[in-house]
Amino acid sequence: KQWYQRRVAITAGEIRRNVGRAFIRSIARAMEYPNLPALFSEDEFSAMGLRKYPIRRKINSNMYSDFDGTLLRELEHIDSTVTVLSTFNNDGLEVLYKNQYRAVPVTGENSFIVNIGKLVDDLIDNKVPSVRHRVAEVDFDRYSITYFLGPQFDADISRSVSGKLTDAGQKYTIFGEWIKDYLGAIELFYY
């Protein structure tokens, strides 16, 4: 049984990795950035996880959106790399579009949402926008599976595919330097 569960998890991760890499290849083809996929040929810091958003038993003022006062389960944020998301039949995900948060359709059992994060957006000269999003409060335990596809450790993130200095490039040269600080910041936030 344990072997089977492990195999299912590995397969689920491989499927999501393939979706993320296919998205990167599609962007590269459409925008004529042939070197973009090479940044993602290895992905040592990619991660998949099951997220549970439990029903809130207590509510305080820090759980409301600064943008519009909506009660939240997940804070408003912009992802950093490529996110492959399965929301199943759980609503609550919202994206900011034209200065208004809008509900995102659920993925169901066999679909994904792919989101480009700020770091990837910078690497492709801001041609595909990163999207601010959040999870609004719902009246049930909400689950989703996230897969974060990042560039390989030694990928040069200091310059975009056209040679422009990226925001990350003002401080970092390679993804490994950037992820070290990014993961440290997340650890401080959650722990």
Side-chain angles (χ1 to χ4, degrees):
K1 182 178 179 176
Q2 190 176 27
W3 174 86
Y4 176 76
Q5 290 171 333
R6 183 169 183 242
R7 185 68 217 146
V8 168
I10 290 170
T11 300
E14 289 170 349
I15 290 168
R16 286 161 176 80
R17 176 187 296 124
N18 291 340
V19 168
R21 284 182 172 165
F23 204 77
I24 290 294
R25 286 191 307 273
S26 294
I27 290 171
R29 274 193 311 272
M31 298 186 179
E32 299 179 359
Y33 293 147
N35 298 329
L36 181 64
L39 298 176
F40 294 84
S41 61
E42 299 293 334
D43 53 4
E44 307 93 298
F45 290 99
S46 294
M48 183 175 79
L50 173 64
R51 303 283 310 267
K52 178 182 180 184
Y53 303 85
I55 294 174
R56 299 277 185 226
R57 303 284 182 225
K58 294 181 180 180
I59 296 172
N60 67 48
S61 61
N62 292 331
M63 296 175 174
Y64 290 91
S65 166
D66 291 336
F67 182 82
D68 62 5
T70 297
L71 181 60
L72 300 177
R73 288 230 190 149
E74 174 75 35
L75 299 175
E76 297 155 337
H77 65 283
I78 295 174
D79 291 344
S80 56
T81 57
V82 177
T83 305
V84 180
L85 176 67
S86 301
T87 60
F88 308 107
N89 293 312
N90 299 304
D91 54 6
L93 180 63
E94 298 178 345
V95 296
L96 186 61
Y97 179 72
K98 293 186 177 181
N99 208 35
Q100 181 181 356
Y101 273 98
R102 300 166 192 260
V104 175
V106 298
T107 61
E109 302 300 321
N110 298 310
S111 299
F112 301 103
I113 294 168
V114 179
N115 187 26
I116 296 297
K118 171 73 171 114
L119 180 65
V120 176
D121 186 24
D122 286 351
L123 290 172
I124 59 174
D125 296 314
N126 303 302
K127 303 274 177 143
V128 176
S130 49
V131 178
R132 179 168 290 281
H133 56 284
R134 66 189 186 186
V135 177
E137 183 65 27
V138 291
D139 61 356
F140 55 87
D141 286 343
R142 182 184 185 279
Y143 293 87
S144 66
I145 294 179
T146 54
Y147 182 86
F148 300 105
L149 175 69
Q152 62 193 34
F153 184 90
D154 61 352
D156 185 346
I157 60 166
S158 66
R159 301 225 168 251
S160 72
V161 290
S162 70
K164 296 177 188 168
L165 184 67
T166 62
D167 286 348
Q170 295 179 32
K171 184 175 179 183
Y172 308 101
T173 302
I174 63 171
F175 182 69
E177 298 167 331
W178 179 90
I179 196 70
K180 177 182 173 226
D181 284 353
Y182 180 79
L183 291 176
I186 288 175
E187 185 174 296
L188 288 174
F189 178 75
Y190 284 108
Y191 305 102

